């Protein structure tokens, strides 16, 4: 273990465990108003008119006519309105907000507001959609030729469902007029994203965003906080008072962006038992607005071949509009859909060819120096084979796999499954160089305390601690001499958003550089400041975003997972007995924090594979809007989790670190499904594969 990996106590731990860390709903301000939203109850309609109840004194309705700037929330394309104007596009589309001093009263008034709709036929199924939001494709070699010369063609289609981020704290903001401008504070990942959205909606440059402690995000606070912030700020502007808008759990579950449902078809050309080409078609359901669907589709398309080197490859992806809850950012960002699909496809193809699944998959695994799907390179060592060995020791995978392949009798049946995946660290393509252009640094005060100047947010992932460790170790000073307060756009430079597994690798690297300079130039008793800007590593093959050519990512993190399940054939219940993972995140900046991320990702990934269902009714409404009917796994559902790391330092990461945040959710679903397939003796092509699905398989088996 490297010195930097040795675990320390989290900087904000005492505050949080003592209940002294304030979250947005803990905060009140003098004269503060509460807000409740009137939302569309139709999936697609024209608004003919709105009848408000009589509003008591001090209560106000706020709608699109009150938006001082553009009625568009700036995300990528600006099609999300702050408040709906003439039409509504999904059940939950915000129409107007009632604000006033009493929380219960605003909710009652919102409920009493009557919207007169002219209903239009909604598009609820992606196959009925004629609106393509985004189209992406990549091409390597000659797939068509491979298909023509094949002696066998193997095709399969996979479906993955919508998934909710299920953060503990719902979305929420307080907006308040301050010094002639507008300040917004709340639960969010990206202070400058929110700031830029506010500038456009308010038509003003005089905007400040301040972070508050954030109770989980998982991507769910990457795009949506810009929406909530604009709504609260428009209300605060109209009333001249602070306005708090915190979503209820019901609203947050049913109306905020989630993981895109996807349908992915793989077609492999086979010649003499070898894969000679793979053709992939991806369909992502983007829901009512575009949010971040472009970048989600890009990552999905680029990663659709998984960790495999296919000489001839084509991937074509489309993202369609439907009148359902928008898809948005969620940990993994388009990748969990394709890695479930490609891993399961490779398993089934191995069966089809009479090969051992693990051996077959290792045979096609990329190596250092190989081409990526976009004809970039895997520049750094790929240590997956060593990781598989380590995993096998940890989980007894091979032994158990052989054991469970023998006929199982009795009520309980077991299976063990495997997956291997990567996660491309940081923004896709030229995002870091052309869009983000991170700026961050350090300011030493005369008394020797060191302030981290960055705008990345703590949302439970431990960034205050990991950033502080990087700086403290480089300066060779105690951790408690470092300060990293909650980002405020009036104080902190724009180090970029807290997304895309980029914070440690990109921003941490710049902080390490700043710390080296400060150390070299350290002068006692004076204030000193060192600012660093992002430079694109020169070894990278420039990315052509038009044609998807070049290095899509500077570095990749890797994981291998082994998951063991037990099926109760009487009830259809599946218990995860063991979930093991070996991870290459370069060098862990803190072993306990990193392991926590991996364990959380395993649970979230098993939920994705097994129990997390978003239930739409025939009218397009999400019916399960509580954690009593949106089922995330608990510790009772998952037995033992074992996590281990390999060191594989990355030259351009701080102390060799690469991205770690998103990757752990990607591998569990295919490993879980592989295990379940073994236990049930059937092939599975969709997730989540629920208890009801298991029951169906068992019933069919009975009837044979
Ligand atoms: Mo993310 S899904 O890059 O916050």
């Amino acid at each position: 273990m490297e010195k930097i990996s040795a675990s320390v106590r989290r900087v904000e731990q005492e505050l949080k465990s003592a209940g002294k860390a304030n979250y947005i709903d803990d905060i009140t301000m003098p004269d503060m108003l509460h807000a409740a939203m009137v939302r569309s109850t139709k999936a697609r309609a024209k608004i003919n008119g709105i009848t408000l109840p009589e509003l008591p004194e001090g209560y106000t309705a706020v709608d699109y006519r009150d938006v001082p700037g553009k009625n568009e929330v700036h995300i990528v394309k600006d099609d999300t309105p702050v408040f709906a104007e003439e039409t509504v596009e999904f059940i939950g589309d915000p129409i107007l907000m009632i604000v006033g001093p009493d929380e219960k009263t605003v909710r009652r008034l919102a409920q009493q507001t009557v919207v007169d709709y002219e209903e239009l036929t909604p598009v609820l199924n992606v196959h009925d959609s004629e609106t393509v939001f985004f189209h992406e494709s990549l091409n390597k070699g000659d797939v068509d030729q491979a298909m023509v010369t094949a002696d066998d063609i193997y095709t399969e289609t996979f479906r993955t469902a919508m998934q909710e981020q299920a953060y503990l704290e719902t979305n929420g903001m307080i907006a308040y007029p301050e010094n002639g401008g507008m300040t917004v504070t709340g639960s969010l990942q990206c202070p400058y994203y929110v700031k830029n959205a506010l500038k456009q909606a308010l038509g003003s440059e005089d905007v400040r965003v301040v972070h508050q402690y954030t109770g989980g995000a998982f991507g769910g606070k990457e795009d949506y906080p810009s929406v909530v912030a604009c709504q609260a700020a428009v209300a605060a502007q109209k009333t001249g008072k602070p306005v708090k808008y915190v979503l209820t759990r019901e609203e947050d579950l049913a109306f905020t962006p989630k993981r895109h449902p996807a349908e992915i078809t793989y077609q492999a050309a086979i010649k003499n038992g070898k894969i000679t080409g793979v053709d992939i078609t991806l369909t992502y359901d983007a829901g009512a607005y575009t949010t971040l669907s472009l970048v989600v589709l890009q990552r999905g398309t680029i990663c659709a071949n998984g960790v495999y080197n296919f000489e001839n490859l084509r991937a074509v992806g489309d993202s369609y509009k439907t009148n359902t809850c928008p898809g948005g950012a969620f940990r993994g960002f388009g990748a969990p859909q394709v890695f479930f699909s490609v891993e399961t496809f490779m398993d089934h193809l191995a069966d089809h060819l009479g090969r051992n699944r693990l051996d077959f998959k290792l045979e096609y695994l990329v190596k250092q120096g190989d081409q990526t799907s976009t004809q970039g390179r895997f520049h750094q060592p790929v240590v997956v084979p060593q990781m598989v060995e380590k995993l096998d020791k940890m989980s007894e995978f091979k032994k158990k796999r052989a054991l469970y392949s023998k006929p199982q009798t009795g009520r309980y049946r077991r299976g063990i499954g495997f997956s291997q995946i990567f996660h491309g660290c940081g923004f896709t393509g030229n995002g870091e160089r052309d869009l983000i252009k991170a700026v961050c640094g350090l300011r030493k005060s005369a008394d020797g305390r060191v302030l981290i100047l960055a705008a990345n947010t703590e949302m439970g992932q431990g960034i205050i601690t990991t950033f502080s460790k990087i700086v403290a170790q480089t300066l060779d000073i105690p951790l408690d001499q470092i300060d990293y307060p909650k980002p405020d756009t009036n104080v902190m430079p724009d180090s970029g958003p807290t997304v895309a597994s980029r914070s440690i690798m990109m921003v941490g690297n710049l902080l390490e550089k700043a710390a080296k300079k400060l150390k070299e130039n350290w002068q006692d008793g004076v204030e000193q400041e060192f600012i660093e800007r992002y430079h694109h590593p020169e070894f990278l093959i420039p990315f052509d975003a038009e044609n998807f050519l070049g290095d899509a990512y500077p570095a990749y993190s890797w994981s291998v997972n082994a998951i063991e399940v037990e099926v109760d054939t009487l009830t259809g219940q599946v218990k995860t007995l063991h979930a093991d993972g070996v991870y290459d995140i370069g060098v862990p900046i803190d072993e306990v924090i990193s392991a926590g991320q991996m364990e959380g990702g395993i649970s979230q990934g098993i939920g994705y594979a097994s129990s997390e269902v978003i239930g739409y009714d025939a009218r397009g409404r999400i019916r399960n809007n509580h954690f009593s009917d949106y089922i995330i796994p608990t510790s009772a559902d998952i037995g033992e989790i074992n996590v281990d790391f390999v060191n594989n330092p990355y030259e351009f990461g701080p102390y060799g670190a690469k991205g770690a945040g998103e990757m752990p959710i990607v591998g569990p679903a295919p490993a879980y499904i592989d295990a379940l397939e073994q236990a049930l003796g059937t092939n599975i092509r969709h997730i989540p594969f629920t208890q009801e699905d298991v029951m169906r398989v068992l019933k069919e088996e009975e009837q044979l």
Side-chain angles (χ1 to χ4, degrees):
M1 189 172 70
E2 306 290 321
K3 185 179 164 204
I4 192 85
S5 305
S7 164
V8 301
R9 185 145 79 161
R10 279 195 188 215
V11 173
E12 84 286 16
Q13 188 217 25
E14 263 183 44
L15 210 60
K16 281 185 176 169
S17 53
K20 287 183 189 153
N22 280 338
Y23 294 80
I24 193 65
D25 209 21
D26 299 322
I27 297 168
T28 55
M29 297 179 81
D31 276 341
M32 188 180 80
L33 304 179
H34 293 273
M37 192 70 75
V38 174
R39 293 175 180 277
S40 174
T41 56
K42 307 295 174 199
R44 186 165 168 242
K46 274 191 191 150
I47 298 175
N48 283 339
I50 294 169
T51 312
L52 290 168
E54 196 179 322
L55 299 179
E57 199 183 320
Y59 290 80
T60 313
V62 181
D63 68 16
Y64 73 92
R65 292 165 300 184
D66 299 308
V67 178
K70 285 189 189 165
N71 184 28
E72 294 171 353
V73 181
H74 176 59
I75 300 176
V76 172
K77 277 190 164 186
D78 300 346
D79 59 340
T80 304
V82 181
F83 297 105
E85 293 187 22
E86 281 152 25
T87 59
V88 284
E89 302 293 331
F90 75 104
I91 292 181
D93 220 352
I95 298 172
L96 64 88
M97 209 177 202
I98 307 279
V99 294
D102 180 61
E103 201 176 339
K104 277 198 181 128
T105 308
V106 293
R107 291 198 195 291
R108 178 175 56 79
L109 294 167
Q111 263 173 10
Q112 290 170 343
T113 300
V114 179
V115 180
D116 176 20
Y117 300 98
E118 180 184 330
E119 280 195 68
L120 303 168
T121 310
V123 177
L124 299 178
N125 184 320
V126 71
H127 294 294
D128 298 332
S129 175
E130 286 169 2
T131 310
V132 178
F133 276 155
F134 302 105
H135 174 84
E136 298 289 356
S137 67
L138 60 85
N139 205 349
K140 192 175 83 157
D142 190 342
V143 170
D144 292 322
Q145 182 63 21
M147 292 294 164
V148 170
T149 54
D151 53 38
D152 183 15
I153 290 177
Y154 186 80
T155 308
E156 261 189 307
T157 297
F158 299 89
R159 279 181 294 121
T160 65
M162 196 168 233
Q163 187 187 19
E164 158 65 28
Q165 293 89 350
Y167 28 69
L168 273 178
E169 180 207 24
T170 61
N171 269 284
M173 295 282 171
I174 296 175
Y176 55 99
E178 184 186 41
N179 305 326
M182 183 62 65
T183 299
V184 178
T185 184
S187 186
L188 56 96
Q189 292 175 231
C190 319
Y192 278 90
Y193 278 7
V194 175
K195 179 171 171 154
N196 290 333
L198 286 166
K199 284 192 333 198
Q200 180 166 305
L202 297 178
S204 159
E205 291 291 311
D206 200 354
V207 169
R208 175 183 172 206
V209 176
V210 183
H211 185 236
Q212 293 299 332
Y213 282 115
T214 290
F218 307 110
K221 292 168 186 173
E222 175 172 348
D223 42 42
Y224 203 71
S226 296
V227 178
V228 185
C230 289
Q231 291 163 342
V234 169
Q237 183 99 338
K238 182 173 185 179
T239 58
K241 291 184 176 173
V243 172
K244 177 194 271 188
Y245 180 40
V246 177
L247 275 74
T248 62
R249 179 63 68 186
E250 289 86 344
E251 280 183 289
D252 203 303
L253 265 168
F255 308 137
T256 69
K258 309 187 195 311
R259 189 181 309 291
H260 293 66
E263 191 176 295
I264 305 163
T265 298
Y266 287 79
Q267 184 167 69
I270 319 286
K271 194 167 172 128
N272 300 325
K274 297 262 182 209
I275 303 173
T276 51
V278 175
D279 201 354
I280 309 166
T281 318
L282 306 92
T283 302
Y284 279 48
D285 181 347
Y289 297 111
T290 58
T291 72
L292 290 160
S293 296
L294 170 65
V295 255
V296 166
L297 180 69
Q298 287 176 340
R299 195 179 272 271
T301 307
I302 291 168
C303 302
N305 60 314
V307 296
Y308 304 107
N309 190 3
F310 303 131
E311 208 181 308
N312 301 298
L313 173 71
R314 179 165 55 207
V316 179
D318 288 287
S319 189
Y320 290 92
K321 171 174 176 159
T322 57
N323 296 105
T324 59
C325 185
F330 188 167
R331 192 179 201 179
F333 216 70
Q337 292 93 324
V338 294
F339 278 97
F340 158 70
S341 302
V342 72
E343 282 297 283
T344 310
F345 179 68
M346 289 295 280
D347 285 340
H348 297 174
L349 184 51
D351 295 351
H352 175 74
L353 297 172
R355 297 282 311 276
N356 170 287
R357 288 183 174 189
L358 177 62
D359 293 346
F360 182 70
K361 284 161 100 169
L362 288 172
E363 187 180 313
Y364 289 91
L365 175 70
V366 297
K367 299 181 298 295
Q368 182 176 21
D370 279 355
Q371 259 194 353
T372 66
S373 65
T374 53
Q375 300 175 51
R377 297 264 166 224
F378 288 98
H379 295 277
Q380 295 102 29
V382 176
V383 297
V384 174
Q386 295 95 297
M387 291 161 65
V388 172
E389 269 176 44
K390 209 169 182 173
L391 180 75
D392 187 44
K393 284 208 185 89
M394 207 160 132
S395 62
E396 300 190 289
F397 174 80
K398 286 178 192 168
K399 194 179 127 195
K400 286 180 173 174
R401 183 86 194 169
L403 183 67
Y404 300 153
S405 70
K406 299 198 176 108
Q408 297 183 49
T409 51
R411 178 168 164 185
Y412 298 97
R413 289 192 214 158
R414 290 185 176 186
I416 189 164
F418 168 81
S419 70
Q420 47 185 6
I421 63 97
F422 66 63
H423 193 79
C425 306
F427 269 75
T428 299
N430 302 322
E432 292 289 341
R433 189 190 68 193
D434 300 342
L435 296 173
I436 304 303
K437 302 175 189 165
V439 182
C440 65
L442 298 173
R443 185 185 299 145
K444 179 180 80 66
S445 58
D447 66 0
R449 292 200 69 78
V450 176
L451 174 70
I452 294 175
L453 299 169
N456 295 97
T457 53
E458 174 66 54
M459 44 183 157
Q461 87 281 39
I463 201 153
I464 300 174
T465 308
T466 47
F467 274 8
S468 299
K469 280 180 80 175
I470 291 165
V471 173
Q473 184 166 323
T474 309
L475 288 170
D476 202 11
I477 61 174
L479 198 64
D480 61 12
Q481 214 172 312
I482 315 284
D483 294 309
Y484 187 33
K486 286 173 277 196
D488 171 343
T489 56
N490 274 10
V491 178
M492 296 300 188
D494 187 358
S495 57
T498 315
V499 303
S501 307
R502 66 179 290 279
S503 302
I504 284 186
M505 190 174 95
M506 300 293 179
V507 185
N509 179 239
L510 297 177
L511 291 175
E512 185 190 16
K513 282 187 187 162
K516 280 182 181 159
K517 286 187 189 157
L518 173 58
K519 187 167 193 209
E520 277 166 28
N521 298 288
W522 186 286
Q523 286 176 278
D524 284 327
V526 292
E527 188 178 296
Q528 291 174 283
E529 190 174 289
F530 290 89
I531 297 293
E532 289 291 327
R533 282 162 206 282
Y534 177 76
H535 290 289
H536 216 50
E538 274 169 21
F539 72 86
L540 291 173
I541 302 167
F543 190 72
D544 165 1
E546 274 300 288
N547 301 300
F548 269 21
L549 287 173
D551 279 321
Y553 303 101
Y556 298 83
S557 288
W558 306 79
S559 90
V560 294
N561 284 106
I563 293 181
E564 185 182 1
V565 301
E566 185 176 77
V567 177
D568 181 340
T569 56
L570 189 66
T571 63
Q573 248 175 338
V574 181
K575 176 143 179 76
T576 300
L577 301 175
H578 292 96
D580 299 337
V582 178
Y583 301 88
D584 165 11
I585 56 171
V587 171
I589 291 300
D590 186 289
E591 278 214 321
V592 170
I593 286 176
S594 303
Q597 285 285 62
M598 304 303 125
E599 289 171 7
I602 286 175
S603 306
Q604 206 164 28
I606 290 175
Y608 186 43
S610 63
S611 61
E612 297 188 26
V613 178
I614 297 281
Y616 279 96
D617 68 13
R619 294 167 48 242
R621 181 176 149 216
I622 292 176
R623 295 307 303 265
N624 52 338
N625 57 6
H626 299 92
F627 283 141
S628 55
D629 48 16
Y630 182 79
I631 310 297
I632 57 175
T634 67
S635 54
D637 303 300
I638 299 175
E640 208 177 303
I641 298 180
N642 285 300
V643 163
D644 206 351
F645 297 97
V646 290
N647 271 355
N648 185 14
Y650 170 55
E651 191 189 339
F652 295 88
Y655 292 91
K658 298 187 285 196
E662 293 173 279
M663 176 186 56
I665 200 183
V666 180
Y672 176 93
I673 292 299
D674 183 19
L676 197 52
E677 288 186 338
Q678 187 177 39
L680 291 174
T682 190
N683 277 0
I684 292 170
R685 296 182 186 86
H686 74 269
I687 49 169
F689 205 79
T690 61
Q691 190 175 354
E692 289 81 0
D693 289 318
V694 172
M695 227 33 222
R696 217 164 287 134
V697 171
L698 293 167
K699 283 271 176 248
E700 278 167 22
E701 196 184 276
E702 251 173 41
Q703 280 155 15
L704 287 180

